[in-house]
Amino acid sequence: MEFVMAIVIGILFMAAVYLILSKSLLRIILGTGLLSHGAHLLILTMGGLGGTSPPVLAEGVTDYVDPLPQALILTAIVISFGVTAFIIVLFYRTYAEHKTDNMNLMKGNDEHD
Amino acid sequence: MEFVLLIFLPIVAALFVPFLYKTVKNIHTGWFVFIISAALFIYYLRFIEKTLNGNVDTSTLSWIPSLDIAFIAYIDGLSLLFSLLITGIGALVVLYSIFYLDKKREKLNNFYVYLLMFMTAMLGIVQSDHMITLYLFWELTSISSFLLIGYWYTRDRSRFGALKSMMITVFGGLMMLGGLVLLSIMGDTYSIRELIANASSFIGHDYFTLALVLVLLGAFTKSAQFPFYIWLPDAMEAPTPVSAYLHSATMVKAGLYLVARFTPIFASSEVWIWLVTGIGLLTLFWGSFFAVKQTDLKAILAFSTVSQLGLIMSLLGASAVAYHVTGADAAIFKFAAFAAIFHLINHAMFKGSLFMVAGIVDHETGTRDIRKLGGLMSIMPVSFTVAFIGSMSMAGLPPFGGFLSKELFLTSMLALRDFELFNFATWGIIFPIVAWVASVFTFVYSFYFVFKTFAGKRKMQSLPKEPKETSLGMLLSPVVLAAIVVVIFFIPNLIGKMFVKPAVVAMQSGLYNHPDEVTVNVSAWHGWSPELMMTLGIIALGAFLFLTMSKWQKLYDIQPQYFSLNALYDTLMVFGESGMNRLSRFYMTGLIRTYLVYMFAFIAAITTAALFIQDAFAVDMESFSPLNTYGIMTAVILVLAVVMVLFAKTRLAAIIALGGVGYSVALFFVIYKAPDLALTQLVIETVSVALFLLAFHHLPALKRHGESTKFRLGNFIIAAAVGITMTLLALSAHSQKLIPSISQYYKDTVFTEAAGGNIVNVILVDYRGFDTLFEIAVLAIAGIGVYSMIRLRLSRKENSDENK
């Protein structure tokens, strides 16, 4: 199953990078969203997908799924959410100020070299 | 007394100069400085007795003991000679500057602070036995010289000259540092004396030639040798006392000192002899040849300094030959060392006096342009006499010191013909010929300097000021120096015994043990020797060339402006600046996408390359868990949603598709038994999508902004590379687990230690609670950020204020 997951992660990264490289700011934000999904799944997959039981103590169970990657991902999800929320508002403000979402137009002019 | 501390006396005195300048208004600050340098001069005179007997004196001041770095003052014949020159001429120059620089108009505090700084630096160079502190003082001379050249900093030419000298000498200084470090690695010591003692063990060492070339680069740049001499003529923008002190008598001789000091270490090398002698002679010829072209008095002197430094340098090179020959021939090369030191003293005297005269002429007539000057002989008789003595000594005529040293020089060069090693038998004949031709030009420019200025018709109308003889005070220093020039001619052997022979012993430590062993006897009349014939030839041809100068001086104009070393330097500087600018602009486009392309491309390339070069790629099917039907279905849904995000035409579709990706990820979490993750992912994805939708009306439409097919193809290639890299990385990483997970501990102790059942939650708040604390902080900061971005409108407020 990890093989399939590795390919899915590859596709997520690919799509994310493709979107991040585009000129539209909105597509860049979509790309960062995909990138964080890819990273989260990567952590999960690297921990191994073979366990049979969720990491909650239960009678007579010994084969728990590795809990550490899950804790790491949980932290990562929350942080990426915070950042995404911030970026969305930043994007909104940028668009409101500059009336454009074209990244090519949003660069410093030569006077500020 | 610890005389190492005396090195620092000038720089410590410099601390008091601004204070004295501000408080003692009616006394020229220079007098204070004069006392310092004169006192040092008198103090160093006491060492003559010691060096006469071949003794040395050291004094140590520890600086960084753990790195074995210390200030070690080491006084032998060579460093004593230089110390006396530095302090003695320093005192005379300060005396001269007292009358040259006006108390009211000039910023004397700056001037004397820089000058004292320089004096410390020079004393440090010549007395240091430790290579690191030698380098320290070496750079301090560069810096203080930079400050002194740029003393009149409101003038463009001064700033240009200062920068140029800084660039070239600091370049050389850094090269020299490299050489010194290599030497310290070879000899496992920083002490120059110890290096000299072990000199024979370095021959054939891997670093030997490299160290040699690097040290020579330092010496050549500082001593204005070809092709690095170009900074010296531009340094003439400095006040004349500075030119007289730094650019004739002391700083430019630091390179000579370095070569003389390191001769015992490198003399065994053919490269050293060829480079030092060859470059020296080339510089001698080049400088003398172009000195005739100049029209500015100080520029003539600058080129003449370059030329004379080349002369001394070539003699130092010839002196290294003495290490290769034995028997009767050896004596003649030991001559060269004597000649070098002897001429060094002579040059310091006459060049110092000539610069001071040039300054006097400038001071009294308002110009230094030789074309506007003439006929000053009867108006300025004393200055003329000094200039005459200096120039005749420079031309090498009797009865002045320069005559003796030039005869010694010609003798040494003639001797090089008979040196048989290193191809000298074939090429040796060039040396006396070049030396002779250069001496002819030296003769011409010496006459040119003195007679075009002081003889001929008076050109009163072209002078900015009414000329008159200058004050006694200003004449004092040049007269003293000129007197020494004459005295040297009559008592050369006393000078030789007192100063030159101890210096030669220090310089060629392996060859002599005691100054008395240096058996050179200088006499003004030494028979009808070949060198005297050569001198007569120089006088004859030189006189002819001088008299016909107006006819052939135009030949210099043939050389075009753009085909010169200065033009090369200018081009290099301009090219360096504009080239670097263009290079930066080439890759710093200001577009985020460009930078991201660099990053992603390098991540993909380097990771993949490392994966295959290290043979780390592996897929171990055994380690994978069995396929799972729900998992595959979810994967298909997720990929479909990703494709939808990519190809969405409207932002609503894109946002919903992104939500679809998020929910499939949540499904994965369910399938892979991560209930907490699934819960969080579901909630957060919902909130994210809601946030997007909230901002929906304010968001722009999903536009492509004219992305071309080519643009998209480029993005696709990079994206594919990154995606494939991540897949390969994930597969290899999973297939090669080196150590088992540490999670067994959590599973075992979650209830016994932490009294919890949900292992993930216990990890988050108990085992690894710090992560959680700071992720809370991140959320809080994001919240504050969002709030402030929406509420704060600083720029708009300012605008509205202006409108009011």
Side-chain angles (χ1 to χ4, degrees):
Chain A
M1 198 59 218
E2 281 85 349
F3 193 83
V4 178
M5 288 307 289
I7 290 168
V8 170
I9 290 160
I11 290 171
L12 274 169
F13 268 89
M14 189 173 143
V17 170
Y18 182 78
L19 286 170
I20 288 174
L21 290 178
S22 58
K23 287 182 188 170
S24 153
L25 194 48
L26 182 56
R27 286 167 74 83
I28 291 175
I29 296 174
L30 294 173
T32 55
L34 290 185
L35 196 68
S36 52
H37 287 317
H40 299 157
L41 285 182
L42 182 66
I43 301 175
L44 190 75
T45 311
M46 292 300 98
L49 303 171
T52 55
S53 185
V56 179
L57 282 192
E59 282 297 321
V61 181
T62 49
D63 185 15
Y64 295 112
V65 171
D66 194 339
L68 192 56
Q70 296 192 8
L72 297 181
I73 295 169
L74 197 57
T75 310
I77 289 175
V78 175
I79 289 174
S80 67
F81 167 70
V83 176
T84 307
F86 185 80
I87 290 178
I88 290 174
V89 177
L90 188 66
F91 172 41
Y92 156 68
R93 289 286 305 134
T94 311
Y95 185 65
E97 292 286 331
H98 297 291
K99 306 286 178 243
T100 181
D101 69 327
N102 185 347
M103 286 307 289
N104 275 17
L105 299 178
M106 280 189 254
K107 63 171 204 162
N109 51 29
D110 285 347
E111 285 165 28
H112 293 292
D113 276 352
Chain B
M1 181 181 171
E2 289 289 332
F3 58 86
V4 62
L5 296 174
L6 286 184
I7 292 177
F8 300 99
L9 178 66
I11 209 165
V12 171
L15 294 176
F16 296 97
V17 165
F19 175 72
L20 280 172
Y21 176 71
K22 293 264 154 64
T23 51
V24 190
K25 291 274 184 197
N26 46 352
I27 300 174
H28 196 285
T29 319
W31 289 111
F32 170 70
V33 181
F34 175 74
I35 293 168
I36 303 266
S37 39
L40 276 174
F41 179 73
I42 292 164
Y43 180 82
Y44 285 124
L45 280 176
R46 292 177 32 202
F47 284 92
I48 290 178
E49 209 181 333
K50 239 176 216 160
T51 56
L52 268 182
N53 300 316
N55 293 330
V56 296
D57 217 339
T58 58
S59 162
T60 306
L61 175 67
S62 193
W63 181 22
I64 312 176
S66 57
L67 294 178
D68 201 16
I69 292 176
F71 292 100
I72 304 171
Y74 176 70
I75 292 194
D76 58 3
L78 190 62
S79 40
L80 178 66
L81 172 68
F82 271 93
S83 302
L84 287 174
L85 283 178
I86 291 160
T87 50
I89 295 188
L92 290 176
V93 161
V94 170
L95 186 66
Y96 175 79
S97 72
I98 290 171
F99 299 95
Y100 186 85
L101 294 172
D102 192 88
K103 195 165 65 180
K104 296 199 181 72
R105 271 181 296 152
E106 304 284 356
K107 291 195 180 76
L108 291 177
N109 50 345
N110 290 354
F111 183 79
Y112 288 112
V113 166
Y114 302 157
L115 202 73
L116 286 168
M117 215 164 109
F118 173 79
M119 200 180 280
T120 282
M122 273 311 293
L123 286 176
I125 287 182
V126 298
Q127 293 184 8
S128 281
D129 182 51
H130 194 284
M131 292 197 288
I132 298 299
T133 56
L134 171 72
Y135 172 73
L136 182 84
F137 289 120
W138 187 272
E139 291 300 26
L140 190 59
T141 60
S142 293
I143 292 166
S144 47
S145 153
F146 169 80
L147 292 168
L148 283 166
I149 297 170
Y151 174 65
W152 286 311
Y153 54 81
T154 47
R155 301 180 189 173
D156 273 347
R157 295 291 310 167
S158 295
R159 294 200 303 268
F160 175 78
L163 182 65
K164 191 171 182 178
S165 75
M166 181 84 161
M167 294 300 276
I168 293 176
T169 53
V170 168
F171 161 77
L174 285 174
M175 294 297 120
M176 186 188 83
L177 176 65
L180 297 181
V181 169
L182 287 181
L183 273 176
S184 73
I185 295 171
M186 280 197 289
D188 197 25
T189 173
Y190 286 117
S191 163
I192 297 170
R193 267 175 306 158
E194 285 174 31
L195 282 176
I196 290 172
N198 303 326
S200 55
S201 64
F202 302 145
I203 302 165
H205 196 285
D206 290 346
Y207 294 155
F208 184 74
T209 311
L210 185 59
L212 184 160
V213 171
L214 290 175
V215 168
L216 272 188
L217 268 178
F220 285 171
T221 49
K222 201 72 157 185
S223 277
Q225 299 294 297
F226 185 88
F228 305 111
Y229 71 88
I230 50 171
W231 64 266
L232 188 61
D234 283 307
M236 291 302 125
E237 295 302 322
T240 303
V242 173
S243 308
Y245 189 37
L246 274 67
H247 306 128
S248 68
T250 53
M251 186 176 95
V252 286
K253 295 209 165 78
L256 299 176
Y257 169 80
L258 195 74
V259 169
R261 189 51 98 193
F262 283 82
T263 293
I265 301 175
F266 291 120
S268 57
S269 162
E270 179 187 1
V271 184
W272 175 267
I273 295 175
W274 268 108
L275 267 181
V276 177
T277 319
I279 295 285
L281 268 182
L282 178 61
T283 314
L284 164 65
F285 168 73
W286 193 277
S288 65
F289 184 68
F290 283 100
V292 187
K293 180 191 177 185
Q294 310 303 320
T295 53
D296 177 22
L297 286 184
K298 279 174 85 177
I300 299 173
L301 293 177
F303 274 92
S304 124
T305 304
V306 169
S307 160
Q308 303 280 318
L309 293 170
L311 188 157
I312 302 171
M313 193 64 91
S314 66
L315 281 172
L316 290 174
S319 75
V321 173
Y323 286 85
H324 295 275
V325 282
T326 47
D329 289 346
I332 202 121
F333 291 109
K334 290 178 179 174
F335 229 78
F338 185 91
I341 303 294
F342 191 62
H343 191 66
L344 195 145
I345 300 174
N346 266 328
H347 178 251
M349 300 303 158
F350 69 68
K351 194 50 67 63
S353 70
L354 286 177
F355 266 110
M356 290 178 189
V357 170
I360 290 171
V361 170
D362 186 17
H363 202 263
E364 299 306 324
T365 65
T367 182
R368 293 197 315 248
D369 193 327
I370 202 158
R371 290 166 299 190
K372 294 181 187 164
L373 295 166
L376 296 174
M377 199 188 292
S378 54
I379 304 173
M380 307 168 82
V382 185
S383 308
F384 167 70
T385 314
V386 171
F388 181 77
I389 293 172
S391 300
M392 292 309 109
S393 182
M394 183 157 74
L397 295 180
F400 306 106
F403 172 71
L404 303 173
S405 50
K406 203 197 65 237
E407 296 294 287
L408 293 171
F409 166 63
L410 291 173
T411 313
S412 311
M413 287 299 123
L414 282 170
L416 274 179
R417 274 182 315 177
D418 305 325
F419 182 48
E420 283 171 359
L421 285 169
F422 312 146
N423 295 329
F424 264 84
T426 333
W427 299 99
I429 188 70
I430 292 176
F431 290 88
I433 293 175
V434 175
W436 188 78
V437 173
S439 299
V440 171
F441 278 103
T442 307
F443 184 93
V444 175
Y445 73 66
S446 302
F447 273 66
Y448 173 58
F449 174 80
V450 65
F451 288 114
K452 293 280 178 201
T453 312
F454 290 99
K457 273 187 300 193
R458 280 188 206 170
K459 301 171 188 167
M460 288 306 180
Q461 70 290 349
S462 66
L463 294 179
K465 276 161 87 175
E466 182 72 23
K468 61 170 194 316
E469 184 59 290
T470 186
S471 65
L472 185 65
M474 201 139 68
L475 280 170
L476 198 60
S477 300
V479 166
V480 169
L481 287 173
I484 296 174
V485 170
V486 180
V487 166
I488 287 177
F489 180 80
F490 292 104
I491 51 158
N493 290 316
L494 183 64
I495 302 283
K497 184 171 180 297
M498 297 263 283
F499 304 108
V500 184
K501 288 181 181 175
V504 170
V505 173
M507 184 180 145
Q508 301 194 318
S509 53
L511 301 178
Y512 304 102
N513 294 316
H514 193 276
D516 292 343
E517 293 172 30
V518 185
T519 53
V520 182
N521 198 30
V522 192
S523 57
W525 176 252
H526 41 74
W528 291 103
S529 54
E531 44 271 32
L532 192 65
M533 297 300 173
M534 285 171 81
T535 303
L536 290 177
I538 290 169
I539 296 172
L541 186 61
F544 171 72
L545 281 176
F546 173 67
L547 292 173
T548 56
M549 211 168 128
S550 54
K551 306 225 170 21
W552 57 271
Q553 208 184 11
K554 293 185 195 78
L555 284 177
Y556 283 106
D557 300 333
I558 292 174
Q559 186 206 23
Q561 269 299 313
Y562 56 84
F563 193 72
S564 67
L565 285 167
N566 280 318
L568 179 70
Y569 169 84
D570 293 341
T571 319
L572 271 177
M573 296 305 281
V574 170
F575 180 78
E577 206 176 308
S578 71
M580 285 305 125
N581 196 346
R582 223 174 299 159
L583 181 70
S584 308
R585 280 171 186 278
F586 169 70
Y587 71 89
M588 305 275 291
T589 57
L591 299 174
I592 300 283
R593 190 228 172 209
T594 322
Y595 305 145
L596 287 169
V597 165
Y598 299 149
M599 287 183 222
F600 285 130
F602 275 99
I603 288 169
I606 291 170
T607 316
T608 319
L611 207 56
F612 287 99
I613 289 169
Q614 294 293 319
D615 204 19
F617 180 69
V619 180
D620 178 15
M621 285 298 181
E622 296 294 309
S623 71
F624 295 154
S625 54
L627 287 177
N628 173 324
T629 326
Y630 295 114
I632 289 170
M633 280 164 64
T634 316
V636 172
I637 296 167
L638 191 146
V639 171
L640 283 177
V642 168
V643 173
M644 258 188 75
V645 176
L646 281 178
F647 292 96
K649 290 269 186 264
T650 64
R651 58 200 148 137
L652 190 61
I655 290 166
I656 289 172
L658 186 67
V661 176
Y663 289 129
S664 350
V665 171
L667 259 182
F668 267 127
F669 291 151
V670 172
I671 293 166
Y672 298 128
K673 302 177 180 70
D676 300 288
L677 286 187
L679 200 64
T680 318
Q681 179 67 30
L682 272 176
V683 171
I684 282 194
E685 200 55 43
T686 313
V687 175
S688 296
V689 171
L691 203 61
F692 263 116
L693 293 178
L694 199 66
F696 187 78
H697 280 291
H698 306 285
L699 296 183
L702 198 59
K703 281 182 294 216
R704 281 245 181 219
H705 296 298
E707 291 173 1
S708 63
T709 328
K710 203 176 143 199
F711 181 87
R712 283 194 236 170
L713 186 67
N715 288 356
F716 176 75
I717 291 169
I718 305 255
V722 173
I724 291 167
T725 305
M726 290 313 293
T727 303
L728 295 181
L729 205 60
L731 288 174
S732 327
H734 194 270
S735 303
Q736 311 173 69
K737 286 215 164 100
L738 297 178
I739 45 173
S741 168
I742 57 167
S743 297
Q744 195 54 47
Y745 171 77
Y746 296 136
K747 294 171 191 169
D748 292 343
T749 60
V750 65
F751 190 73
T752 53
E753 296 283 333
N758 185 330
I759 309 177
V760 175
N761 286 5
V762 171
I763 289 175
L764 282 175
V765 299
D766 202 329
Y767 292 115
R768 303 171 56 93
F770 266 120
D771 286 359
T772 314
L773 175 66
F774 291 109
E775 94 185 50
I776 292 168
V778 167
L779 266 192
I781 293 167
I784 295 167
V786 166
Y787 177 81
S788 52
M789 266 199 297
I790 290 175
R791 292 304 297 266
L792 295 182
R793 293 283 188 279
L794 286 179
S795 64
R796 200 163 293 169
K797 245 181 226 162
E798 276 166 20
N799 286 342
S800 58
D801 283 348
E802 278 168 22
N803 291 338
K804 281 173 195 169

